[in-house]
Amino acid sequence: MREVKDLVRKNILKFKPYKAGKPIKEVQRELGLKRIIKLASNENPLGPSLLALRAIKKSLSNINRYPDGNCFYLKRKLAERLNIQPSNIIFGNGSNEIIELIIKTFLNEGEEVIMSKPDFLIFRLATLQENGLPIEVDLKDFCCNLGAIKEAITPKTKIIFIANPNNPIGSYVREEEIRGFIEEVPDNILIVLDEAYYEFAKDEKGYPDSLKFLDKKNVIILRTFSKAYGLAGLRLGYGLANEEVIDYLNNSRQPFNVNYLAQIAGEAALDDDRFLQKTLRIIEEGKRYLYKELDRLGLSYIKSATNFILIDIKGNSKKLFDKMLAEGVIVREMSTYGLDSWIRVTIGTRNENERFIETFERFMEGGVIDNCIKTRCN
Ligand SMILES: *Cc1c(COP(=O)(O)O)cnc(C)c1O
């Protein structure tokens, strides 16, 4: 046989798989540690909503049946909440799947997809998987540069992805800027606003009420149950768009793309406003605590509209990651995003945040981070 490499589609050779936050069990297995905290994937530190848990437990005996491929009840409930039509909604196996579906449905080979650099890495990966050309536009002052994105448009541009707020930065674009942008971008280009952190960001000054833009046929909004709703493990996200766009996206998906338990849990989670409010409160308190401690330690960080904070450790992010990991604290090193001296930390419970700061400070005082600076500059 020839080498497998020769059999693979050429575009698949162009990239490495997505590197996710390290799972707790993996760290337990590899390092033999017991007390591990994970602050690496922006998950909800409170666990899932109890209403969601209860609903799933009650439904477990039905898993011999295929799920409703149309997510009828979940769609109806979400449509009511958002005051839109069910026909404007598509659910996915995480919003990750919707990102893929958008590209699969609309992108012809060789067409261009514009995104910020850095931004959610899946935009680039999913584009390459489908033989598209990712066009990366640098941020300006750690914010999405809408002007430069407009300038990057060519006749081959088909899709523009904007995570708002940006992941891993945590900054966001305001409603008036987005409105002007949507008006100026030719309407044969799809504009995807990935609002994975919507619930955390919605009360920030000027954060867009993007549902207003749904009358534009080329606008798609993405949201998820993975972050504020605490259901990352079940994989549930959704896209909102014009009915015709949704129809074509439905053409590209598997018939049963959203599993049964995810649908049940999603419905219950939408009813659990107390859990959501508690989550938002804990994250807000945690954010204030971490800002205060980072100020005390003299570190720079980016003010975040999300449940994570990007911190400039002025040293080698990979090395710090390994050191923290050995102590059972999982954070995200940012070298894969081109931010070699930064780490991204998910805001956890009070205890987790304190343990993060305590561990971090020990390494700072022990000179581990300073040493990193030296090796980096040499
Ligand atoms: C976490 C995240 C997602 C969510 O993905 P799911 O597939 O819904 O878990 C999407 N976009 C961004 C920017 C994210 O940070």
Side-chain angles (χ1 to χ4, degrees):
M1 192 179 125
R2 299 201 294 174
E3 295 221 42
V4 174
K5 196 167 159 245
D6 300 328
L7 306 177
V8 175
R9 284 164 68 202
K10 292 232 164 19
N11 54 311
I12 301 297
L13 300 171
K14 284 188 200 153
F15 57 90
K16 296 219 169 68
Y18 180 72
K19 211 171 147 206
K22 227 170 160 47
I24 291 176
K25 283 261 158 58
E26 189 174 304
V27 179
Q28 284 174 336
R29 202 167 61 233
E30 291 176 357
L31 300 178
L33 295 172
K34 284 219 179 69
R35 279 181 64 235
I36 293 172
I37 59 171
K38 184 181 176 200
L39 302 172
S41 301
N42 309 334
E43 296 144 336
N44 191 322
L46 301 179
S49 126
L50 289 181
L51 287 191
L53 262 189
R54 211 179 298 154
I56 294 182
K57 280 184 188 159
K58 275 211 298 213
S59 309
L60 276 174
S61 60
N62 297 331
I63 58 171
N64 58 317
R65 304 286 175 199
Y66 281 101
D68 172 5
N70 184 35
C71 301
F72 178 86
Y73 294 103
L74 180 56
K75 232 181 239 181
R76 189 171 69 178
K77 183 162 278 179
L78 182 64
E80 260 168 36
R81 289 296 142 87
L82 300 179
N83 202 13
I84 57 175
Q85 295 303 313
S87 53
N88 295 122
I89 304 174
I90 180 169
F91 277 96
N93 186 34
S95 50
N96 258 273
E97 186 193 16
I98 317 274
I99 294 169
E100 290 179 5
L101 288 179
I102 292 167
I103 295 173
K104 274 213 288 208
T105 306
F106 291 100
L107 196 75
N108 293 297
E109 190 176 329
E111 285 182 330
E112 294 170 356
V113 179
I114 304 180
M115 60 203 71
S116 295
K117 188 183 166 131
D119 204 345
F120 194 41
L121 289 179
I122 298 292
F123 302 152
R124 179 170 180 277
L125 225 56
T127 300
L128 290 171
Q129 280 166 347
E130 291 300 323
N131 244 323
L133 287 171
I135 305 293
E136 296 178 307
V137 174
D138 285 333
L139 301 177
K140 187 176 158 199
D141 303 327
F142 294 101
C143 282
C144 174
N145 189 346
L146 292 178
I149 289 181
K150 264 185 288 185
E151 280 166 30
I153 291 174
T154 74
K156 281 186 170 176
T157 306
K158 177 54 85 52
I159 307 171
I160 300 171
F161 280 104
I162 299 170
N164 197 32
N166 177 295
N167 173 7
I169 306 290
S171 63
Y172 64 98
V173 225
R174 295 177 180 220
E175 178 160 324
E176 70 260 24
E177 301 168 80
I178 284 279
R179 179 183 295 114
F181 180 78
I182 290 173
E183 276 162 15
E184 286 168 42
V185 169
D187 62 6
N188 60 347
I189 298 173
L190 291 166
I191 301 171
V192 182
L193 302 173
D194 179 348
E195 300 184 338
Y197 301 94
Y198 169 80
E199 293 79 10
F200 302 108
K202 67 181 190 325
D203 295 328
E204 296 276 347
K205 196 161 171 249
Y207 184 78
D209 173 10
S210 54
L211 297 185
K212 282 181 194 156
F213 306 132
L214 280 185
D215 58 338
K216 305 272 184 200
K217 286 197 176 180
N218 60 328
V219 173
I220 305 175
I221 298 161
L222 304 182
R223 292 184 190 165
T224 181
F225 283 79
S226 296
K227 309 284 159 63
Y229 283 102
L231 297 177
L234 283 177
R235 314 302 302 121
L236 183 65
Y238 56 95
L240 308 172
N242 172 272
E243 189 174 335
E244 256 183 288
V245 169
I246 297 290
D247 278 349
Y248 286 114
L249 292 175
N250 275 320
N251 275 358
S252 303
R253 69 170 173 85
Q254 291 182 22
F256 305 110
N257 62 328
V258 179
N259 75 78
Y260 173 66
L261 297 179
Q263 294 185 34
I264 298 285
E267 254 193 273
L270 282 177
D271 281 335
D272 201 346
D273 196 52
R274 268 180 56 193
F275 176 75
L276 183 63
Q277 295 314 320
K278 185 176 174 194
T279 298
L280 299 182
R281 199 180 63 242
I282 296 284
I283 296 305
E284 196 46 47
E285 285 169 12
K287 196 182 285 180
R288 253 182 280 137
Y289 166 79
L290 287 170
Y291 284 171
K292 185 173 63 86
E293 290 299 300
L294 294 170
D295 287 340
R296 179 176 65 79
L297 297 173
L299 288 163
S300 319
Y301 53 91
I302 312 283
K303 282 258 159 71
S304 173
T306 68
N307 65 337
F308 59 79
I309 305 175
L310 187 69
I311 305 167
D312 187 358
I313 59 158
K314 304 257 188 291
N316 186 310
S317 154
K318 257 186 171 156
K319 278 191 189 160
L320 181 71
F321 168 83
D322 286 337
K323 295 271 177 197
M324 303 262 310
L325 194 66
E327 298 287 317
V329 179
I330 316 173
V331 297
R332 200 68 165 263
E333 60 98 354
M334 286 285 116
S335 65
T336 39
Y337 290 80
L339 299 164
D340 290 353
S341 74
W342 299 73
I343 58 169
R344 195 192 68 194
V345 179
T346 304
I347 300 168
T349 60
R350 177 83 198 203
N351 278 343
E352 290 173 333
N353 297 334
E354 283 173 0
R355 178 147 165 229
F356 163 72
I357 288 290
E358 181 265 317
T359 312
F360 189 82
E361 189 170 8
R362 214 157 7 98
F363 287 132
M364 247 179 105
E365 282 170 355
V368 170
I369 298 176
D370 283 347
N371 287 341
C372 296
I373 295 180
K374 276 190 207 120
T375 46
R376 203 165 80 94
C377 296
N378 285 344

